[in-house]
Amino acid sequence: MPNDDQQQDDKPTRPWLRPILIILAILAVGFGAYEYWQYRVFGQYQQSTNDAVISADDVAISSKLAGFIEFVKISENASVEEGALLLQIRASDYASQVDAADSQILLARANGAVTQSNIAEAQAAVAAATSELAKTQARMRYIDQQIARYRPLVNAGAEPSTKLDELNNERAQTSADLGAKQAAIAQAQQRISSLRAQTGATKAQVRAAEVEKQRANINMADTRLSAPIAGRIGSLEARAGQYVSPGQRLMTIVPTQNIYVTANFKETQIGMMRIGQPVTIKVDAISGVEFRGTVETISPGTGANFSLIPPQNATGNFTKIVQRVPVRIKLEAGPESRQLLLPGLSLEVSVDTRSARAEIEAIKRKQAGK
């Protein structure tokens, strides 16, 4: 049997193991304390979600008019500047509308000139009839004077009654002529009034024709479809020779320089979220790269609230589901990065809500003091 000295020599001796274990324990405790401190100071205020995508306010391009496409100026995925020509619709049909409107304007103006000429003619007739009326009235006054002079003489027997009868007969004829001339003047004046009313209608016709021409010119301009914004062409469906109807979607312009982030946070995450808070953004398509952003707007309602058919939970089998609130985030990225950040890409975003900490604590103190 081995003696005691041999047994002591066989036991392993590792004097360095104990200090290492102590150091590892200290490091573990320190790391745990650091992580706890990080959580208390920073981590608990970070609200993250992977329910986020890159968005852009794309514009659907459609035709206001019906017609055949003469040519398409751009191609799929091409970049265009604001105001650039996209396609041309055949304009011959609308050019004839402009010519027809010009003809209507000329016709209405010619009718107006004829009406003005007729008014001048009627005014001349009134002037001539007024002059003849003045002559007849003067003749009437003369006859009345003669009758007044001869009547006493005839009554006294100094003059024969035949002369007075002739004067009375002439007065009757002159009175009838006077009435006819007055009626002629009234008729001419009525014609002037009618022609002036016709002048107003003619002016209205001219104005209507000018409006029609303006509409035709607008239609002519609308045969050229231009880009309302700068961006890239997507979903191009227009082809040369294709017949298009009003409102038919032909392509979409995506403003790639004006992209932003739409993140759908849980309702339990937005209590401390405020506009202007910093955001960290990770793009699934670009690993290892982080972008910065700021909270721009927070939706006034949940996504379900703005759905086509909002849910009604008035039944007895209600199940509570955590709702999502859309948050719009302004993306801070240069032109080179924006070429890679395409609308629809998936993201992971984290919002730093520490700026609202004092506000929440004040609310809690107020509630505790009640």
Side-chain angles (χ1 to χ4, degrees), residues 30-329:
F31 180 76
Y34 174 77
E35 287 294 321
Y36 178 75
W37 177 82
Q38 278 284 92
Y39 171 77
R40 295 292 298 176
V41 175
F42 179 77
Q44 66 174 332
Y45 300 107
Q46 305 304 306
Q47 301 298 338
S48 304
T49 183
N50 57 5
D51 186 1
V53 294
I54 297 176
S55 303
D57 297 328
D58 53 86
V59 177
I61 304 299
S62 58
S63 174
K64 176 185 173 183
L65 309 172
F68 290 94
I69 298 177
E70 286 190 357
F71 61 84
V72 180
K73 189 73 173 178
I74 44 80
S75 59
E76 183 79 22
N77 303 326
S79 297
V80 294
E81 297 295 330
E82 181 179 353
L85 179 63
L86 301 176
L87 59 86
Q88 172 73 55
I89 295 176
R90 190 171 66 189
S92 57
D93 296 338
Y94 301 99
S96 63
Q97 292 181 3
V98 177
D99 296 337
D102 284 331
S103 300
Q104 290 296 323
I105 292 174
L106 293 175
L107 179 60
R109 288 176 177 172
N111 291 335
V114 171
T115 302
Q116 291 295 331
S117 177
N118 291 336
I119 289 175
E121 182 181 349
Q123 288 174 339
V126 169
T130 302
S131 177
E132 291 296 326
L133 178 63
K135 291 180 181 179
T136 305
Q137 289 173 339
R139 178 65 181 169
M140 190 72 172
R141 288 192 296 271
Y142 173 75
I143 294 173
D144 288 339
Q145 292 173 358
Q146 291 297 315
I147 290 175
R149 187 168 68 86
Y150 272 95
R151 183 174 285 116
L153 295 177
V154 170
N155 291 336
E159 290 289 341
S161 61
T162 56
K163 182 63 176 177
L164 184 60
D165 292 338
E166 290 176 358
L167 290 172
N168 285 328
N169 185 41
E170 185 177 358
R171 186 184 186 284
Q173 292 178 357
T174 304
S175 178
D177 188 29
L178 182 65
K181 286 183 170 58
Q182 289 174 338
I185 291 174
Q187 183 179 3
Q189 290 175 339
Q190 180 63 33
R191 186 164 186 266
I192 290 174
S193 299
S194 177
L195 290 172
R196 284 175 177 169
Q198 186 176 348
T199 299
T202 302
K203 290 181 180 179
Q205 290 176 354
V206 172
R207 179 57 183 159
E210 289 174 345
V211 171
E212 191 62 31
K213 180 181 178 180
Q214 184 179 7
R215 183 184 295 112
N217 284 329
I218 292 174
N219 288 338
M220 276 289 294
D222 288 338
T223 59
R224 295 172 59 87
L225 268 67
S226 301
I229 60 173
R232 293 179 62 185
I233 301 297
S235 185
L236 178 62
E237 299 178 1
R239 300 292 183 270
Q242 175 185 356
Y243 181 82
V244 297
S245 302
Q248 179 179 345
R249 185 174 182 230
L250 301 176
M251 67 189 75
T252 301
I253 298 180
V254 181
T256 53
Q257 295 303 316
N258 296 320
I259 57 177
Y260 56 92
V261 175
T262 300
N264 299 301
F265 286 91
K266 297 178 182 179
E267 58 184 311
T268 55
Q269 295 179 291
I270 64 169
M272 296 179 61
M273 205 168 292
R274 302 291 184 269
I275 294 174
Q277 290 175 339
V279 182
T280 302
I281 304 168
K282 296 180 180 179
V283 185
D284 292 355
I286 310 174
S287 60
V289 179
E290 288 187 355
F291 295 94
R292 301 297 176 183
T294 54
V295 176
E296 194 169 25
T297 59
I298 301 175
S299 174
T302 65
N305 188 59
F306 295 112
S307 63
L308 183 61
I309 304 177
Q312 296 295 330
N313 299 321
T315 60
N317 56 351
F318 167 70
T319 301
K320 184 176 180 179
I321 299 174
V322 177
Q323 300 297 312
R324 295 274 179 168
V325 179
V327 176
R328 177 165 172 160
I329 298 171

